[in-house]
Amino acid sequence: MKKIIFAVIMALLVSIVCVPWSVSGAAGVSVTVDGKAVNFPDAKPFIDMNGRTLIPVRFVTESLGATVGWNEDYQEVTIKKGNVDISIMINDRNIVVSGKIKTMDTEAIIKESRTFVPIRYVAEGLGAKVGWNPNTKTVIITTEAAINADIPNAADYYKINPDMPKELYTYEYRKDSHSGWYATNKWMVDRYGVKTVTDFMNVGKGYIETCYNVDYRTFDKKEYIEKLKWYFMPRTNWYGGDGKSRPILEHLDYLANMIVEKQIVIKTKFITDPSLILSDEDTIIRGRAVYTIESCNDMEWVNKFFPFGESELGKEHARDMDIEIANLEQKDDWEHSIKVLYGEYLLAVIK
């Protein structure tokens, strides 16, 4: 019996010691917004048992330009900034950002009569970037305004995606050659909606990654042409980099033959985003092609025919490009995209 009592006492002592340690071990957490330290005069941020930083919700209002509401009946925090609405319920792992539910790996709580929310999920929901300095225990927040500070026409975009290369937001607009008309990304999203604009984006991205991902050693010519046909309008012509106009099927057949003849292996990824869709009467998909030509026995031909400019064998390259797609007259020779390829334009050589 004495052993049992001793074991129980020791277990209680361990629990008493461990609980304050988990909180005091997280003491001294600080937060900066755009390089400026945030002052927390009373309730302090802390790291919870899930390893996430929780902060008093009032911080969101003061430092991220949002307004905060509280629904007592549902124990729900509501946060609003511009057209972004965020909802978090106390002791619940779901966060709702503008109608989309995301599961967090922690939850909002009420502590000492204060409401604390996980800052990473809230700040990212409001368009900010969140970093962490483990040496100083500092949460580093960069607001959308700071992210966009060096993009002079940031207001023309429905958002600026911080994961995209900033240069893609700074190039001049492609304008209609006759009227000079163009449309901003915000105009495109307001008119068509994000879903349709995303569909436009996927046409351009799909074309680049289908056309310029090949390996002559495992190449299936028929399959390659069938996939590429979907991006082109039947009974039209296409100009390769050699300046020669060919009917679409002839162009694709020639390209496929050259892949084998020139022993081409190329791997390509096209980095783009719905926020990079513009218009010059037709639709422009702006993005960065990152590619490596791993094999080729005729780089002179590749550099002339492909739209990337001068490339070196075995080296990773990056090219900023506009892919133009157009809603041409529908023809039923084969199934194809509603908007088809109309042009490939090199904007800049990055590396």
Side-chain angles (χ1 to χ4, degrees), residues 261-280:
E261 180 180 318
K262 308 298 184 182
Q263 297 183 350
I264 295 173
V265 178
I266 180 172
K267 295 180 180 178
T268 304
K269 181 178 180 181
F270 192 66
I271 301 168
T272 187
D273 187 78
S275 62
L276 292 166
I277 308 306
L278 311 163
S279 179
D280 64 347

Side-chain angles (χ1 to χ4, degrees), residues 314-348:
K315 179 180 177 181
E316 183 179 84
H317 298 277
R319 303 288 190 264
D320 287 352
M321 303 181 67
D322 278 346
I323 309 303
E324 188 170 18
I325 59 177
N327 188 11
L328 303 179
E329 178 188 356
Q330 301 299 292
K331 297 182 175 68
D332 52 8
D333 297 53
W334 61 74
E335 186 178 351
H336 54 80
S337 172
I338 293 176
K339 285 183 177 282
V340 294
L341 257 291
Y342 199 66
E344 305 169 272
Y345 307 101
L346 181 64
L347 292 171

Side-chain angles (χ1 to χ4, degrees), residues 34-55:
D34 296 338
K36 296 181 180 179
V38 178
N39 181 36
F40 296 94
D42 41 35
K44 307 293 185 182
F46 66 94
I47 299 175
D48 69 5
M49 297 298 290
N50 297 306
R52 289 297 187 184
T53 303
L54 270 63
I55 64 163

Side-chain angles (χ1 to χ4, degrees), residues 1-100:
M1 179 62 71
K2 289 181 178 179
K3 291 182 178 179
I4 294 173
I5 293 172
F6 178 76
V8 171
I9 291 172
M10 288 302 295
L12 288 172
L13 286 172
V14 168
S15 65
I16 290 170
V17 172
C18 288
V19 170
W21 180 87
S22 67
V23 176
S24 64
V29 175
S30 59
V31 179
T32 65
V33 176
D34 296 338
K36 296 181 180 179
V38 178
N39 181 36
F40 296 94
D42 41 35
K44 307 293 185 182
F46 66 94
I47 299 175
D48 69 5
M49 297 298 290
N50 297 306
R52 289 297 187 184
T53 303
L54 270 63
I55 64 163
V57 71
R58 177 166 58 88
F59 162 81
V60 178
T61 306
E62 296 176 349
S63 300
L64 294 182
T67 57
V68 177
W70 170 252
N71 188 317
E72 181 66 30
D73 293 337
Y74 293 100
Q75 296 282 284
E76 178 186 31
V77 179
T78 56
I79 301 166
K80 182 175 178 60
K81 180 181 179 182
N83 60 355
V84 177
D85 293 283
I86 297 176
S87 171
I88 308 175
M89 298 182 73
I90 299 299
N91 300 324
D92 189 284
R93 293 206 168 200
N94 286 336
I95 180 172
V96 183
V97 180
S98 298
K100 295 182 179 180

Side-chain angles (χ1 to χ4, degrees), residues 47-336:
I47 299 175
D48 69 5
M49 297 298 290
N50 297 306
R52 289 297 187 184
T53 303
L54 270 63
I55 64 163
V57 71
R58 177 166 58 88
F59 162 81
V60 178
T61 306
E62 296 176 349
S63 300
L64 294 182
T67 57
V68 177
W70 170 252
N71 188 317
E72 181 66 30
D73 293 337
Y74 293 100
Q75 296 282 284
E76 178 186 31
V77 179
T78 56
I79 301 166
K80 182 175 178 60
K81 180 181 179 182
N83 60 355
V84 177
D85 293 283
I86 297 176
S87 171
I88 308 175
M89 298 182 73
I90 299 299
N91 300 324
D92 189 284
R93 293 206 168 200
N94 286 336
I95 180 172
V96 183
V97 180
S98 298
K100 295 182 179 180
I101 300 175
K102 182 176 182 178
T103 301
M104 304 182 290
D105 55 10
T106 191
E107 54 198 40
I109 65 169
I110 294 178
K111 177 176 177 284
E112 298 175 358
S113 301
R114 295 279 190 173
T115 301
F116 286 78
V117 296
I119 183 54
R120 176 174 293 276
Y121 293 99
V122 173
E124 289 180 345
L126 293 172
K129 291 187 72 174
V130 182
W132 169 250
N133 185 328
N135 297 322
T136 59
K137 291 184 179 178
T138 303
V139 179
I140 303 166
I141 299 175
T142 308
T143 64
E144 192 172 23
I147 293 170
N148 301 345
D150 54 352
I151 300 176
N153 56 334
D156 289 350
Y157 298 89
Y158 92 98
K159 69 172 184 178
I160 302 292
N161 186 339
D163 295 326
M164 292 293 107
K166 278 192 175 182
E167 293 93 341
L168 293 173
Y169 294 103
T170 62
Y171 295 114
E172 291 185 7
Y173 294 110
R174 187 170 297 280
K175 301 177 181 179
D176 180 77
S177 58
H178 299 293
S179 66
W181 188 91
Y182 71 95
T184 66
N185 171 255
K186 189 175 186 307
W187 186 93
M188 293 288 286
V189 172
D190 287 345
R191 178 173 181 178
Y192 295 107
V194 175
K195 182 182 182 305
T196 299
V197 165
T198 302
D199 290 340
F200 296 159
M201 178 197 77
N202 287 333
V203 173
K205 179 179 175 64
Y207 164 70
I208 291 291
E209 294 185 351
T210 299
C211 189
Y212 302 110
N213 268 307
V214 295
D215 186 333
Y216 78 95
R217 296 164 298 188
T218 57
F219 189 65
D220 186 322
K221 176 180 175 179
K222 182 178 179 181
E223 181 182 35
Y224 180 70
I225 291 175
E226 283 299 314
K227 286 182 178 179
L228 275 183
K229 278 168 54 178
W230 189 80
Y231 298 100
F232 291 94
M233 185 68 63
R235 287 176 268 162
T236 56
N237 281 27
W238 188 259
Y239 284 87
D242 58 2
K244 184 176 179 179
S245 175
R246 299 176 177 90
I248 287 299
L249 290 183
E250 184 181 322
H251 167 76
L252 297 180
D253 186 74
Y254 172 75
L255 176 59
N257 287 337
M258 290 299 101
I259 288 168
V260 176
E261 180 180 318
K262 308 298 184 182
Q263 297 183 350
I264 295 173
V265 178
I266 180 172
K267 295 180 180 178
T268 304
K269 181 178 180 181
F270 192 66
I271 301 168
T272 187
D273 187 78
S275 62
L276 292 166
I277 308 306
L278 311 163
S279 179
D280 64 347
E281 293 288 2
D282 297 316
T283 299
I284 303 296
I285 298 95
R286 185 158 285 178
R288 175 167 293 178
V290 180
Y291 67 95
T292 303
I293 302 172
E294 298 181 353
S295 169
C296 179
N297 60 26
D298 187 352
M299 287 300 294
E300 183 178 352
W301 180 88
V302 165
N303 288 335
K304 185 177 183 180
F305 198 82
F306 283 10
F308 304 132
E310 293 290 321
S311 304
E312 296 179 33
L313 190 63
K315 179 180 177 181
E316 183 179 84
H317 298 277
R319 303 288 190 264
D320 287 352
M321 303 181 67
D322 278 346
I323 309 303
E324 188 170 18
I325 59 177
N327 188 11
L328 303 179
E329 178 188 356
Q330 301 299 292
K331 297 182 175 68
D332 52 8
D333 297 53
W334 61 74
E335 186 178 351
H336 54 80

